[in-house]
Amino acid sequence: MKIGIYGYGNLAKGVEAAAEYADDCSVVGIFTRRDPDTVKSLTGVNVYSANDILNFKNEIDVLVICGGSATDLPEMTPTLAENFSVVDSFDTHSNIPIHFANVDKKAKLAGKLALICAGWDPGMFSLMRTYASSILPNGRDYTFWGKGVSQGHSDAARRIEGVLDARQYTVPVQSAIDKVKNGEEPEFTARDKHTREVFVVAQEDADKARIEKEITEMPNYYSDYNTTVHFISAEEMKEKHSALPHGGTVIRSGKTGLNGENKHTVEFNLKLDSNPEFTGSVLLASARAVDRMYKRGRRGCITMLDIAPSDLSALSGEELRKCLL
Amino acid sequence: MKIGIYGYGNLAKGVEAAAEYADDCSVVGIFTRRDPDTVKSLTGVNVYSANDILNFKNEIDVLVICGGSATDLPEMTPTLAENFSVVDSFDTHSNIPIHFANVDKKAKLAGKLALICAGWDPGMFSLMRTYASSILPNGRDYTFWGKGVSQGHSDAARRIEGVLDARQYTVPVQSAIDKVKNGEEPEFTARDKHTREVFVVAQEDADKARIEKEITEMPNYYSDYNTTVHFISAEEMKEKHSALPHGGTVIRSGKTGLNGENKHTVEFNLKLDSNPEFTGSVLLASARAVDRMYKRGRRGCITMLDIAPSDLSALSGEELRKCLL
């Protein structure tokens, strides 16, 4: 399988690193919107201008698009699907139906296959919600995120006047998780499930009380949560908060038996040192499935829910049945 | 979807109960090897003789075969796949390749679709091992079972002279699980991962010391584990050990980054009050996928690794993308 990587931020580097562990995959090139002469790849893969992507139409089996969900992917994925089979990690849950429709239309017209929303949420967590609810329809599922860095919340805090740098951790409330694991099927507000912890480097003369107030009262991002703000030095930020860990938990509890007399709990946890490297690894496995499904004749837009797990694996059906089944 | 249930033990009752929660499924009949006049179904579904199954060839979309893996399924599944699309829960891991080959041959000749090894292990646990190893090829996975009742080990203890009844619990060793979750990628012997706990009702005059010795030293079943034997009364057995709980954990830890510098842990847990009812629920969702895939033209033998999760769900693609993705 020959892949191209479109964009070259943290996620793209995660895909590039993942490809090093996949014997069945080679990276044809990295395509950047910056001047390619100013970009050096991690593994020595050639870097080209994104403007030249169409020259590689016949050399790339699957193009992995590494852009942001807010403005990049809604444009990029449908456009690139006119010439390539593609994978993206679109993660704005509420806009998935419209993104799916846009990409599906272009991919079908062009006779290409496009996988959207690959990653861990949406992605692996979606798979778990689907499996668990298919098996236990009489039940309820819960998703908890963290402890991990939310880039969106970090950015929001960084835009406040007097803030030089900020890093936000989403933290699940353990007592809430325990209630769910106990099969209680509780009702939660946003505040019940997660707390937010923000580390801030402020300008020397900044009014810290005002910054703290502006963060904790910020609508959509912070006001619905119990938020703690810590002011730290630039050195401490660099030393202790440079990594991008994340993770979370999906739990479904459900009942079976004619009178619902038996309880069952299905739980899936991820603990990730590097969100972009794990997500990049999901994108690479997903590209493998897209390559295979395209070659079998599948066209249009799909998600990870439409992929048979065996298509993600480098192992053959025989090997999977012998070793992993 | 119209299903038939072949066999009528605990697992079959689990399938029957699961069908009550599935609006898209009706049970055409239960097919028993016993005299059907002596068998009463839980939900009032008609009970027929297994000998009459061929009369229902045109009325059943998928036949769910509920037999034992040791002698029933190796015979039943290939034979029934000559006339029906089928689902079974074959779980003798080492014999999967031969069972697959036998069933695949018959199903292909007959133009039917057969799903083998549905359940939780093999089944859901196999899916998790496959997803996790596809995403994190540079890693290692571990499966722990329990705490739960192993019917095979209970039966083995029951065959000892002087034993009236026995119930065996497989118990995972928590410190071993913790090491794996910590990403240590340890090497384990069988003894390191699980202990076994056996509750025995002995004949009044039986030599308990001999029974305990015969259990703990029994090759294949007990001698490789630290086993504890408790002698209890028939009343206590009935009161405290009548249920069939089970569950377990699949964990994969793996590394990403050019130098393997970032660790990730993927963990999946099941905690089941009733092993047969949960397994029956997996079989029912699997039957839904078989029905759909058969109607799309798929033939031969498959496993859960070959099923896209969306095919297991009663929800439409649009609903899944909107609500669960």
PDB file of all heavy atoms in Angstrom, chain B residues 113-133:
ATOM      1  N   LEU B 113     -24.242 -18.714   4.051  1.00  0.00           N
ATOM      2  CA  LEU B 113     -23.252 -17.961   4.828  1.00  0.00           C
ATOM      3  C   LEU B 113     -23.248 -18.500   6.255  1.00  0.00           C
ATOM      4  O   LEU B 113     -24.313 -18.643   6.874  1.00  0.00           O
ATOM      5  CB  LEU B 113     -23.600 -16.469   4.830  1.00  0.00           C
ATOM      6  CG  LEU B 113     -22.651 -15.548   5.604  1.00  0.00           C
ATOM      7  CD1 LEU B 113     -21.222 -15.633   5.063  1.00  0.00           C
ATOM      8  CD2 LEU B 113     -23.139 -14.101   5.546  1.00  0.00           C
ATOM      9  N   ALA B 114     -22.055 -18.806   6.770  1.00  0.00           N
ATOM     10  CA  ALA B 114     -21.940 -19.385   8.114  1.00  0.00           C
ATOM     11  C   ALA B 114     -20.962 -18.570   8.940  1.00  0.00           C
ATOM     12  O   ALA B 114     -19.828 -18.327   8.513  1.00  0.00           O
ATOM     13  CB  ALA B 114     -21.454 -20.833   8.018  1.00  0.00           C
ATOM     14  N   LEU B 115     -21.408 -18.153  10.118  1.00  0.00           N
ATOM     15  CA  LEU B 115     -20.534 -17.431  11.049  1.00  0.00           C
ATOM     16  C   LEU B 115     -20.206 -18.363  12.199  1.00  0.00           C
ATOM     17  O   LEU B 115     -21.114 -18.841  12.885  1.00  0.00           O
ATOM     18  CB  LEU B 115     -21.265 -16.200  11.588  1.00  0.00           C
ATOM     19  CG  LEU B 115     -20.580 -15.450  12.740  1.00  0.00           C
ATOM     20  CD1 LEU B 115     -19.320 -14.765  12.260  1.00  0.00           C
ATOM     21  CD2 LEU B 115     -21.523 -14.442  13.351  1.00  0.00           C
ATOM     22  N   ILE B 116     -18.911 -18.610  12.418  1.00  0.00           N
ATOM     23  CA  ILE B 116     -18.514 -19.465  13.540  1.00  0.00           C
ATOM     24  C   ILE B 116     -17.806 -18.638  14.619  1.00  0.00           C
ATOM     25  O   ILE B 116     -17.356 -17.522  14.360  1.00  0.00           O
ATOM     26  CB  ILE B 116     -17.605 -20.640  13.095  1.00  0.00           C
ATOM     27  CG1 ILE B 116     -16.304 -20.113  12.478  1.00  0.00           C
ATOM     28  CG2 ILE B 116     -18.335 -21.561  12.111  1.00  0.00           C
ATOM     29  CD1 ILE B 116     -15.216 -21.178  12.322  1.00  0.00           C
ATOM     30  N   CYS B 117     -17.739 -19.199  15.814  1.00  0.00           N
ATOM     31  CA  CYS B 117     -16.962 -18.604  16.917  1.00  0.00           C
ATOM     32  C   CYS B 117     -17.500 -17.262  17.393  1.00  0.00           C
ATOM     33  O   CYS B 117     -16.736 -16.389  17.813  1.00  0.00           O
ATOM     34  CB  CYS B 117     -15.486 -18.452  16.539  1.00  0.00           C
ATOM     35  SG  CYS B 117     -14.717 -19.954  15.947  1.00  0.00           S
ATOM     36  N   ALA B 118     -18.816 -17.075  17.347  1.00  0.00           N
ATOM     37  CA  ALA B 118     -19.391 -15.850  17.905  1.00  0.00           C
ATOM     38  C   ALA B 118     -19.537 -16.016  19.415  1.00  0.00           C
ATOM     39  O   ALA B 118     -19.749 -17.124  19.909  1.00  0.00           O
ATOM     40  CB  ALA B 118     -20.747 -15.568  17.273  1.00  0.00           C
ATOM     41  N   GLY B 119     -19.416 -14.933  20.137  1.00  0.00           N
ATOM     42  CA  GLY B 119     -19.517 -14.977  21.590  1.00  0.00           C
ATOM     43  C   GLY B 119     -18.607 -13.917  22.160  1.00  0.00           C
ATOM     44  O   GLY B 119     -18.419 -12.874  21.542  1.00  0.00           O
ATOM     45  N   TRP B 120     -18.024 -14.196  23.328  1.00  0.00           N
ATOM     46  CA  TRP B 120     -17.105 -13.172  23.860  1.00  0.00           C
ATOM     47  C   TRP B 120     -15.644 -13.602  23.829  1.00  0.00           C
ATOM     48  O   TRP B 120     -14.784 -12.749  23.618  1.00  0.00           O
ATOM     49  CB  TRP B 120     -17.583 -12.600  25.197  1.00  0.00           C
ATOM     50  CG  TRP B 120     -17.730 -13.542  26.338  1.00  0.00           C
ATOM     51  CD1 TRP B 120     -18.837 -14.274  26.654  1.00  0.00           C
ATOM     52  CD2 TRP B 120     -16.751 -13.835  27.341  1.00  0.00           C
ATOM     53  NE1 TRP B 120     -18.597 -15.002  27.778  1.00  0.00           N
ATOM     54  CE2 TRP B 120     -17.334 -14.749  28.231  1.00  0.00           C
ATOM     55  CE3 TRP B 120     -15.440 -13.406  27.582  1.00  0.00           C
ATOM     56  CZ2 TRP B 120     -16.646 -15.260  29.338  1.00  0.00           C
ATOM     57  CZ3 TRP B 120     -14.760 -13.899  28.674  1.00  0.00           C
ATOM     58  CH2 TRP B 120     -15.352 -14.818  29.538  1.00  0.00           C
ATOM     59  N   ASP B 121     -15.344 -14.896  23.952  1.00  0.00           N
ATOM     60  CA  ASP B 121     -13.971 -15.335  23.671  1.00  0.00           C
ATOM     61  C   ASP B 121     -13.992 -16.789  23.265  1.00  0.00           C
ATOM     62  O   ASP B 121     -14.092 -17.660  24.128  1.00  0.00           O
ATOM     63  CB  ASP B 121     -13.046 -15.130  24.867  1.00  0.00           C
ATOM     64  CG  ASP B 121     -11.582 -15.256  24.450  1.00  0.00           C
ATOM     65  OD1 ASP B 121     -11.332 -15.441  23.248  1.00  0.00           O
ATOM     66  OD2 ASP B 121     -10.702 -15.153  25.318  1.00  0.00           O
ATOM     67  N   PRO B 122     -13.887 -17.100  21.984  1.00  0.00           N
ATOM     68  CA  PRO B 122     -13.691 -16.164  20.878  1.00  0.00           C
ATOM     69  C   PRO B 122     -14.919 -15.295  20.628  1.00  0.00           C
ATOM     70  O   PRO B 122     -16.031 -15.682  20.966  1.00  0.00           O
ATOM     71  CB  PRO B 122     -13.434 -17.094  19.685  1.00  0.00           C
ATOM     72  CG  PRO B 122     -14.089 -18.377  20.048  1.00  0.00           C
ATOM     73  CD  PRO B 122     -13.928 -18.499  21.524  1.00  0.00           C
ATOM     74  N   GLY B 123     -14.704 -14.141  20.022  1.00  0.00           N
ATOM     75  CA  GLY B 123     -15.785 -13.212  19.734  1.00  0.00           C
ATOM     76  C   GLY B 123     -15.343 -11.802  20.069  1.00  0.00           C
ATOM     77  O   GLY B 123     -14.400 -11.294  19.489  1.00  0.00           O
ATOM     78  N   MET B 124     -16.000 -11.185  21.063  1.00  0.00           N
ATOM     79  CA  MET B 124     -15.661  -9.803  21.412  1.00  0.00           C
ATOM     80  C   MET B 124     -14.181  -9.646  21.769  1.00  0.00           C
ATOM     81  O   MET B 124     -13.543  -8.667  21.379  1.00  0.00           O
ATOM     82  CB  MET B 124     -16.512  -9.336  22.603  1.00  0.00           C
ATOM     83  CG  MET B 124     -17.987  -9.189  22.316  1.00  0.00           C
ATOM     84  SD  MET B 124     -18.304  -8.064  20.946  1.00  0.00           S
ATOM     85  CE  MET B 124     -17.650  -6.536  21.618  1.00  0.00           C
ATOM     86  N   PHE B 125     -13.625 -10.602  22.514  1.00  0.00           N
ATOM     87  CA  PHE B 125     -12.206 -10.497  22.873  1.00  0.00           C
ATOM     88  C   PHE B 125     -11.323 -10.598  21.626  1.00  0.00           C
ATOM     89  O   PHE B 125     -10.285  -9.942  21.538  1.00  0.00           O
ATOM     90  CB  PHE B 125     -11.828 -11.589  23.886  1.00  0.00           C
ATOM     91  CG  PHE B 125     -12.139 -11.248  25.320  1.00  0.00           C
ATOM     92  CD1 PHE B 125     -12.971 -10.180  25.642  1.00  0.00           C
ATOM     93  CD2 PHE B 125     -11.589 -11.987  26.363  1.00  0.00           C
ATOM     94  CE1 PHE B 125     -13.258  -9.855  26.964  1.00  0.00           C
ATOM     95  CE2 PHE B 125     -11.858 -11.668  27.690  1.00  0.00           C
ATOM     96  CZ  PHE B 125     -12.695 -10.609  27.994  1.00  0.00           C
ATOM     97  N   SER B 126     -11.731 -11.424  20.666  1.00  0.00           N
ATOM     98  CA  SER B 126     -10.950 -11.545  19.426  1.00  0.00           C
ATOM     99  C   SER B 126     -10.948 -10.214  18.682  1.00  0.00           C
ATOM    100  O   SER B 126      -9.932  -9.809  18.089  1.00  0.00           O
ATOM    101  CB  SER B 126     -11.560 -12.614  18.514  1.00  0.00           C
ATOM    102  OG  SER B 126     -12.060 -13.704  19.243  1.00  0.00           O
ATOM    103  N   LEU B 127     -12.105  -9.557  18.664  1.00  0.00           N
ATOM    104  CA  LEU B 127     -12.198  -8.251  18.004  1.00  0.00           C
ATOM    105  C   LEU B 127     -11.234  -7.274  18.646  1.00  0.00           C
ATOM    106  O   LEU B 127     -10.522  -6.532  17.954  1.00  0.00           O
ATOM    107  CB  LEU B 127     -13.621  -7.694  18.146  1.00  0.00           C
ATOM    108  CG  LEU B 127     -14.734  -8.474  17.469  1.00  0.00           C
ATOM    109  CD1 LEU B 127     -16.091  -7.896  17.850  1.00  0.00           C
ATOM    110  CD2 LEU B 127     -14.550  -8.440  15.962  1.00  0.00           C
ATOM    111  N   MET B 128     -11.210  -7.278  19.973  1.00  0.00           N
ATOM    112  CA  MET B 128     -10.348  -6.325  20.678  1.00  0.00           C
ATOM    113  C   MET B 128      -8.878  -6.613  20.407  1.00  0.00           C
ATOM    114  O   MET B 128      -8.088  -5.712  20.195  1.00  0.00           O
ATOM    115  CB  MET B 128     -10.622  -6.382  22.184  1.00  0.00           C
ATOM    116  CG  MET B 128     -12.023  -5.948  22.542  1.00  0.00           C
ATOM    117  SD  MET B 128     -12.468  -4.328  21.837  1.00  0.00           S
ATOM    118  CE  MET B 128     -14.069  -4.718  21.155  1.00  0.00           C
ATOM    119  N   ARG B 129      -8.507  -7.916  20.410  1.00  0.00           N
ATOM    120  CA  ARG B 129      -7.112  -8.256  20.110  1.00  0.00           C
ATOM    121  C   ARG B 129      -6.751  -7.795  18.707  1.00  0.00           C
ATOM    122  O   ARG B 129      -5.643  -7.315  18.452  1.00  0.00           O
ATOM    123  CB  ARG B 129      -6.907  -9.777  20.259  1.00  0.00           C
ATOM    124  CG  ARG B 129      -6.977 -10.266  21.696  1.00  0.00           C
ATOM    125  CD  ARG B 129      -6.612 -11.751  21.821  1.00  0.00           C
ATOM    126  NE  ARG B 129      -7.647 -12.656  21.370  1.00  0.00           N
ATOM    127  CZ  ARG B 129      -8.504 -13.306  22.172  1.00  0.00           C
ATOM    128  NH1 ARG B 129      -8.454 -13.139  23.482  1.00  0.00           N
ATOM    129  NH2 ARG B 129      -9.399 -14.126  21.678  1.00  0.00           N
ATOM    130  N   THR B 130      -7.699  -7.925  17.777  1.00  0.00           N
ATOM    131  CA  THR B 130      -7.424  -7.564  16.389  1.00  0.00           C
ATOM    132  C   THR B 130      -7.327  -6.048  16.214  1.00  0.00           C
ATOM    133  O   THR B 130      -6.388  -5.544  15.585  1.00  0.00           O
ATOM    134  CB  THR B 130      -8.520  -8.146  15.473  1.00  0.00           C
ATOM    135  OG1 THR B 130      -8.540  -9.559  15.647  1.00  0.00           O
ATOM    136  CG2 THR B 130      -8.251  -7.815  14.011  1.00  0.00           C
ATOM    137  N   TYR B 131      -8.282  -5.316  16.767  1.00  0.00           N
ATOM    138  CA  TYR B 131      -8.203  -3.847  16.675  1.00  0.00           C
ATOM    139  C   TYR B 131      -6.899  -3.346  17.285  1.00  0.00           C
ATOM    140  O   TYR B 131      -6.169  -2.561  16.692  1.00  0.00           O
ATOM    141  CB  TYR B 131      -9.375  -3.190  17.417  1.00  0.00           C
ATOM    142  CG  TYR B 131     -10.674  -3.157  16.653  1.00  0.00           C
ATOM    143  CD1 TYR B 131     -11.807  -3.775  17.146  1.00  0.00           C
ATOM    144  CD2 TYR B 131     -10.776  -2.469  15.441  1.00  0.00           C
ATOM    145  CE1 TYR B 131     -13.018  -3.732  16.455  1.00  0.00           C
ATOM    146  CE2 TYR B 131     -11.982  -2.428  14.740  1.00  0.00           C
ATOM    147  CZ  TYR B 131     -13.100  -3.059  15.254  1.00  0.00           C
ATOM    148  OH  TYR B 131     -14.281  -3.006  14.563  1.00  0.00           O
ATOM    149  N   ALA B 132      -6.632  -3.806  18.517  1.00  0.00           N
ATOM    150  CA  ALA B 132      -5.497  -3.244  19.252  1.00  0.00           C
ATOM    151  C   ALA B 132      -4.175  -3.586  18.573  1.00  0.00           C
ATOM    152  O   ALA B 132      -3.274  -2.751  18.491  1.00  0.00           O
ATOM    153  CB  ALA B 132      -5.520  -3.740  20.698  1.00  0.00           C
ATOM    154  N   SER B 133      -4.062  -4.817  18.030  1.00  0.00           N
ATOM    155  CA  SER B 133      -2.794  -5.176  17.397  1.00  0.00           C
ATOM    156  C   SER B 133      -2.651  -4.535  16.025  1.00  0.00           C
ATOM    157  O   SER B 133      -1.538  -4.317  15.551  1.00  0.00           O
ATOM    158  CB  SER B 133      -2.648  -6.700  17.304  1.00  0.00           C
ATOM    159  OG  SER B 133      -3.644  -7.236  16.468  1.00  0.00           O
TER     160      SER B 133
END
